[in-house]
Amino acid sequence: MEQKEPGALTNEELLQEIKKMKTTRIYDAGIIGFLIGVAFYGTVKGGFGIFTFIPLAYIPFATKNNKKYTALKEQLKERGL
């Protein structure tokens, strides 16, 4: 599926994308929380190791999703929806 720029979306598509991104943000928070828990547990049980730094690998994905959500919210605000 082709990704459109937020400005090219219709009002209905924009509202649907915002709804999807809200769910994605919840998933991102859950995944980051889980990974931090795994890193903490691994550090306490065995000292520093590979599991300590696993949350750092997910940060770029969460950052990309957050930028997309911010752009959609700005477009929503511009349109007054």
Side-chain angles (χ1 to χ4, degrees), residues 31-47:
I31 291 169
I32 289 173
F34 175 74
L35 292 175
I36 288 173
V38 168
F40 182 74
Y41 178 77
T43 303
V44 169
K45 281 301 221 183

Side-chain angles (χ1 to χ4, degrees), residues 23-72:
T23 305
T24 302
R25 288 173 51 102
I26 292 170
Y27 288 146
D28 283 343
I31 291 169
I32 289 173
F34 175 74
L35 292 175
I36 288 173
V38 168
F40 182 74
Y41 178 77
T43 303
V44 169
K45 281 301 221 183
F48 285 100
I50 189 71
F51 291 114
T52 304
F53 301 104
I54 286 180
L56 295 177
Y58 190 73
I59 289 175
F61 298 111
T63 303
K64 184 184 92 172
N65 289 338
N66 191 34
K67 285 181 182 179
K68 182 178 177 183
Y69 181 74
T70 304
L72 289 171

Side-chain angles (χ1 to χ4, degrees), residues 6 9 14 17-18 21 68-76:
L9 297 173
L14 183 63
E17 281 294 316
I18 286 286
M21 288 306 297
K68 182 178 177 183
Y69 181 74
T70 304
L72 289 171
K73 287 294 277 188
E74 287 176 8
Q75 192 62 234
L76 196 67

